Amino acid sequence: MTIKGAEHEHKGDYSRAIEYYTKSAELGDAEAHYQLAGLYLNGHGVEKDMGKVIYHLEEAAISGHPTARCDLGCEEVKDGNAERAGRHFIIAANL
């Protein structure tokens, strides 16, 4: 389902992409969570929502997605949480 979501996203059909990514994320697909985070970050097919970005990054990271873990570290840096950021980066490096 994540592949179908990517196909629709590539075509600019964000509403269908969100449908597929959401279904896949509900089944525990880390990549689907990561892709949803990107859509919420950029406001593609949805309103920009940093709360949902962080939620989906966390879900992806917990499932072992290294880029999501690194992105969480970057968000912690932006928020001034260097210690938490460092932990995210170390975990990402070990995935």
Side-chain angles (χ1 to χ4, degrees):
M1 279 188 269
T2 302
I3 293 171
K4 280 291 205 186
E7 290 171 359
H8 285 286
E9 183 179 359
H10 182 71
K11 294 177 191 174
D13 185 357
Y14 298 115
S15 62
R16 294 285 292 177
I18 291 166
E19 273 182 52
Y20 281 106
Y21 287 148
T22 300
K23 287 178 186 176
S24 192
E26 288 170 354
L27 295 172
D29 187 305
E31 183 63 27
H33 277 292
Y34 185 71
Q35 294 303 322
L36 283 167
L39 293 176
Y40 281 105
L41 178 67
N42 296 306
H44 291 158
V46 292
E47 283 190 41
K48 290 182 179 185
D49 186 332
M50 282 308 292
K52 289 184 180 179
V53 170
I54 298 301
Y55 167 78
H56 287 293
L57 287 176
E58 287 174 344
E59 291 296 313
I62 288 167
S63 296
H65 196 290
T67 309
R69 182 65 73 172
C70 188
D71 289 353
L72 282 173
C74 291
E75 290 302 319
E76 293 293 353
V77 168
K78 290 179 192 175
D79 291 342
N81 299 321
E83 187 176 323
R84 285 182 61 139
R87 285 190 296 229
H88 283 301
F89 295 140
I90 289 168
I91 293 168
N94 288 309
L95 290 175

